[in-house]
Amino acid sequence: MSLTYAFLDDETPLVVPAVSVTVRNSAAETVYTGSAVQSGDAWTVTLPALPTGLYAVEWKGGEVATDRTSFEVVGAFLFTVPEARSSDIDLTDVQRFPAAAIRHYREVVEEEFETITGRSFVPRVRRVTVTGDGSTAVFTGLLDVIGLVSADGPSGPLDVGGWTVNDAGFLEAPYELTEGARYALAVEYGLPSLEDVKRAGLLRLRSLLTAENSGIPDRATNFVAAEGGNFTLATAGRNGYETGIPEVDATLSRYRYRILTDVLGVG
């Protein structure tokens, strides 16, 4: 994978003599160091394959500037760039909608869907800190847990080979976790690929990328067509609409985690 970065002073490019790059994982461990290659005002570095997780990047431009960015490696995507282009003829225009823009808004859609439903629709890793209660089970606060990637206990790194996920979605250790002790866990979680959610994601992507094509103001709650007739529009954030697209909101509603129905079984 490649990362590209440009040093800027507001909107003015900074001239730096050379750029070194350091990448660290969520445990602050260095996983890559190297030099970036210049192309115009931008600098690019090619990284080796990295496991799923969050990473911090330090771009050091000699004595001129040191900037920091971040990126995430996920186990899959909600949809591919070719799938996005084939979903709408407008998106086949690579000049107007470059791959970088589609990738960015795909990430926006994935994050939005997780915020709305409380669950991820792509496998990803999040680092959480929990407190042991003397039992073997621990609740991470995450839904659809796949497994434990790594763990640090009071005395340092732990062997996670014997950890499992129980029927309640809790992580289960092969030993009792010390009561009151803090454990830092890197947890993989997320749902597998779901066609209805993919379709909803493509609809949402198109609404974000082609919003300027609409003659309807974003703040509109009613619309009068030129040829006559009134329309009531779904507006994001109003009357239960999360995205303002009824089909998308209806799909996400089916996956929203609810305490009464999902936990207590109350209809």
Side-chain angles (χ1 to χ4, degrees), residues 32-148:
Y32 175 84
T33 56
S35 300
V37 177
Q38 187 176 14
S39 177
D41 294 328
W43 295 81
T44 300
V45 62
T46 300
L47 304 179
L50 295 171
T52 306
L54 291 169
Y55 295 88
V57 187
E58 181 180 85
W59 304 81
K60 187 172 180 61
E63 301 299 320
V64 179
T66 299
D67 290 354
R68 292 172 176 83
T69 60
S70 62
F71 68 93
E72 181 180 11
V73 176
V74 296
F77 298 113
L78 191 55
F79 48 80
T80 65
V81 173
E83 285 174 330
R85 293 203 188 281
S86 64
S87 70
D88 190 300
I89 192 170
D90 284 344
L91 300 186
T92 60
D93 187 339
V94 296
Q95 298 299 319
R96 185 177 169 203
F97 301 109
I102 294 178
R103 290 196 302 267
H104 169 73
Y105 280 100
R106 176 178 61 192
E107 183 177 338
V108 169
V109 170
E110 290 170 349
E111 292 285 350
E112 181 183 46
F113 281 16
E114 183 170 355
T115 298
I116 290 171
T117 64
R119 60 207 324 169
S120 174
F121 296 98
V122 297
R124 64 195 338 158
V125 171
R126 182 177 297 177
R127 195 169 179 85
V128 299
T129 301
V130 299
T131 302
D133 61 2
S135 70
T136 60
V138 58
F139 180 56
T140 63
L142 301 172
L143 301 176
D144 313 306
V145 173
I146 298 170
L148 186 62

Side-chain angles (χ1 to χ4, degrees), residues 4 39 46 52 101 128 152 160 165 167 173 198 226 232 234 248 259 261:
T4 300
S39 177
T46 300
T52 306
V128 299
D152 289 295
V160 300
V165 182
D167 293 339
K198 177 191 289 189
T232 300
V248 174
I259 293 296
T261 55

